[in-house]
């Protein structure tokens, strides 16, 4: 899911009931489907930039998606990219890649001209599957380490990295993240059923 306007979001789907992308209007206590963009693909991650969508498919392919459902391949990663987000500072799409192979990229940057740059690789602070990802207004990247049980903040080029949350603080299998100003929210897939699929709110310091 990603926002398009103040009151509109788009949602990807990989089931027969939500196949492609749905444009949804958000009102008080009400969600309304405005239209469906049928891309004929099992889509997962989605980001919105300059009137177009960037989407990811099971297996590692990332596409540009037009409003009428046409797709153009941007890049094919080795593994599935579950989450995408838009970097408003550079105009790039930031990609999280689900991989456990040492040396493979877990965070990548895709430009509009299809260039890709590895920002972080397996073997550093994020170990194993890379999950939720977001970018703040200054271009800092926030990523959930699903297997390393941490949430990491890094500079846009990946040269400066710090852990915001770790397993020592009780975080387990963080899955999705959203950053707004000096606040961020994280959901998880904790093995503890009492803390699974909860949303945790944190303040940046």
């Amino acid at each position: 899911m990603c926002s398009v306007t103040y009151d509109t979001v788009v949602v990807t789907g990989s089931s027969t009931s939500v196949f492609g992308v749905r444009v949804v209007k958000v009102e008080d206590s009400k969600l309304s489907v405005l239209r469906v963009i049928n891309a004929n693909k099992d889509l997962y991650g989605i980001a919105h930039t300059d009137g177009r969508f960037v989407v990811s498919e099971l297996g590692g392919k990332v596409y540009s998606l037009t409003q009428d459902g046409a797709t153009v391949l941007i890049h094919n990663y080795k593994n599935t990219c579950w989450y995408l987000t838009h970097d408003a500072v550079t105009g790039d799409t930031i990609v999280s890649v689900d991989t456990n192979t040492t040396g493979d990229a877990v965070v990548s940057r895709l430009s509009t001209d299809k260039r890709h740059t590895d920002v972080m690789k397996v073997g550093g602070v994020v170990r194993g599957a890379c999950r939720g990802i977001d970018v703040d207004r200054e271009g800092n990247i926030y990523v959930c380490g699903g297997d390393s049980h941490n949430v990491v903040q890094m500079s846009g080029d990946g040269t400066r990295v710090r852990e915001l949350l770790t397993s020592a603080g009780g975080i387990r299998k963080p899955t999705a993240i959203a950053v707004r100003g000096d606040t961020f929210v994280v959901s998880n897939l904790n093995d503890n059923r009492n803390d699974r699929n909860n949303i945790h709110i944190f303040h940046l310091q």
Side-chain angles (χ1 to χ4, degrees):
M1 175 188 294
C2 75
S3 62
V4 178
T5 65
Y6 175 76
D7 62 353
T8 308
V9 299
V10 287
V11 183
T12 60
S14 59
S15 68
T16 55
S17 60
V18 191
F19 199 73
V21 173
R22 292 196 177 192
V23 182
V24 179
K25 185 174 180 60
V26 180
E27 302 173 281
D28 290 342
S29 304
K30 182 180 179 181
L31 299 175
S32 306
V33 177
L34 299 179
R35 66 193 188 91
V36 177
I37 302 173
N38 188 354
N40 292 316
K41 297 181 185 299
D42 288 339
L43 301 179
Y44 290 88
I46 186 167
H48 178 258
T49 173
D50 298 328
R52 68 185 178 94
F53 302 114
V54 178
V55 294
S56 61
E57 183 184 22
L58 185 67
K61 292 182 179 179
V62 178
Y63 301 91
S64 173
L65 174 69
T66 64
Q67 298 285 344
D68 61 2
T71 55
V72 176
L73 181 65
I74 301 175
H75 189 69
N76 189 5
Y77 290 91
K78 295 178 182 178
N79 299 279
T80 298
C81 309
W82 297 112
Y83 294 85
L84 310 175
T85 191
H86 174 64
D87 183 349
V89 175
T90 64
D92 295 340
T93 299
I94 309 299
V95 181
S96 71
V97 187
D98 185 358
T99 177
N100 291 291
T101 304
T102 300
D104 279 1
V106 290
V107 178
S108 181
R109 179 181 291 277
L110 279 175
S111 65
T112 53
D113 61 0
K114 301 185 181 182
R115 287 181 296 109
H116 71 97
T117 305
D118 296 342
V119 179
M120 175 179 278
K121 297 184 177 182
V122 175
V125 178
V126 174
R127 300 176 303 279
C130 185
R131 295 294 180 176
I133 197 163
D134 204 1
V135 179
D136 66 20
R137 58 194 172 197
E138 296 176 349
N140 297 305
I141 301 171
Y142 299 76
V143 62
C144 296
D147 287 355
S148 50
H149 308 295
N150 58 358
V151 173
V152 172
Q153 178 198 58
M154 70 184 82
S155 57
D157 59 3
T159 57
R160 298 186 305 278
V161 179
R162 68 168 177 153
E163 287 184 290
L164 299 178
L165 303 172
T166 67
S167 58
I171 192 73
R172 295 286 299 173
K173 297 184 179 179
T175 303
I177 186 169
V179 181
R180 293 296 179 270
D182 59 359
T183 301
F184 67 98
V185 297
V186 177
S187 65
N188 62 32
L189 289 174
N190 199 326
D191 295 329
N192 180 351
R193 292 187 176 275
N194 293 326
D195 192 33
R196 180 179 294 182
N197 295 326
N198 288 343
I199 296 175
H200 303 267
I201 303 174
F202 300 93
H203 183 75
L204 283 166
Q205 297 180 340

